[in-house]
Amino acid sequence: MKLISLVFTLILCLPMSRDRRVSVSLHDILQRPSTIVVKVKKNNPFSVQQEEKVKKGLMSGPNFIHPIHHYKVEEILYKGNEANQINIGQDISVRRANFRTHLRRHKMYHLRKMRKSIYTYHYEKEMDITTVNQAIIYITYQEEDKVFEYVVQGAYDSIDKKENILNLLHTIKN
């Protein structure tokens, strides 16, 4: 009986999931038809924590807390094929990549005690968005929520890479 109790306790202590991290190249990001590439300046405050209520009927769980990044659009390098409304000078808020998937998984774990592993796609680069004032970001517009979202985790680059990005865009789109 003690062994069963110990096993049950260990299972409850397991993490919510085990994500599988997949690296994505800049070429792959730019090939997505909905990708928007913009040069931005960080607004103040840059990052704020937003909370989403987790509730289903009488059941509730801890709120889903996620960061929102705030920018001012300085230049549009590529608008994607979407009929989105992004303009120079516009203030935009950008949430994490695959927001709905992460929120759904959070709810599954806290309301139904189900663990779900997912693939998380990351753009690997050496830049840290918190250490710069300007950047080039890769976003998409989520029509159903009327918000911008990073294409993948870490979807930003240094403005020094602008020419390389434009050349790659030219190669891909022609």
Side-chain angles (χ1 to χ4, degrees):
M1 192 59 133
K2 287 183 180 181
L3 180 61
I4 293 173
S5 177
L6 178 65
V7 169
F8 186 70
T9 302
L10 288 174
I11 289 172
L12 288 178
C13 292
L14 287 173
M16 182 169 27
S17 65
R18 293 214 169 114
D19 293 348
R20 276 119 180 127
R21 187 180 177 111
V22 178
S23 291
V24 176
S25 71
L26 179 57
H27 188 269
D28 292 337
I29 290 172
L30 296 177
Q31 280 191 315
R32 295 176 183 207
S34 62
T35 296
I36 303 164
V37 184
V38 290
K39 179 182 168 198
V40 293
K41 183 175 184 178
K42 293 190 321 191
N43 278 348
N44 191 12
F46 167 60
S47 185
V48 295
Q49 298 296 319
Q50 187 168 336
E51 293 188 33
E52 303 289 330
K53 299 261 186 232
V54 175
K55 190 169 181 152
K56 184 176 182 181
L58 297 175
M59 297 176 59
S60 66
N63 291 346
F64 179 64
I65 301 170
H66 59 96
I68 301 287
H69 292 168
H70 299 284
Y71 299 101
K72 179 173 285 295
V73 177
E74 291 188 326
E75 184 178 356
I76 300 167
L77 304 178
Y78 181 70
K79 251 188 173 179
N81 67 356
E82 304 271 327
N84 57 60
Q85 299 298 318
I86 190 164
N87 299 300
I88 294 173
Q90 179 180 352
D91 290 325
I92 60 171
S93 298
V94 182
R95 68 183 183 191
R96 74 185 296 173
N98 300 311
F99 170 81
R100 286 179 169 267
T101 301
H102 290 279
L103 176 60
R104 187 171 34 255
R105 181 177 62 167
H106 181 86
K107 287 179 177 180
M108 284 176 63
Y109 179 74
H110 291 289
L111 297 178
R112 299 180 8 210
K113 303 299 181 213
M114 293 177 62
R115 291 179 181 82
K116 179 169 175 72
S117 296
I118 60 173
Y119 288 98
T120 59
Y121 297 91
H122 294 261
Y123 175 49
E124 304 297 336
K125 79 264 160 255
E126 297 175 8
M127 188 186 117
D128 178 4
I129 194 71
T130 62
T131 63
V132 297
N133 193 35
Q134 292 178 307
I136 295 173
I137 60 174
Y138 311 103
I139 56 177
T140 187
Y141 187 70
Q142 297 299 322
E143 185 66 41
E144 61 275 6
D145 296 333
K146 307 284 188 232
V147 297
F148 291 98
E149 186 174 281
Y150 289 108
V151 174
V152 296
Q153 307 261 345
Y156 38 80
D157 259 320
S158 165
I159 58 172
D160 297 340
K161 296 196 176 192
K162 178 180 169 183
E163 289 305 315
N164 292 346
I165 294 164
L166 290 172
N167 289 337
L168 188 55
L169 272 168
H170 181 72
T171 303
I172 292 170
K173 303 306 174 191
N174 288 332

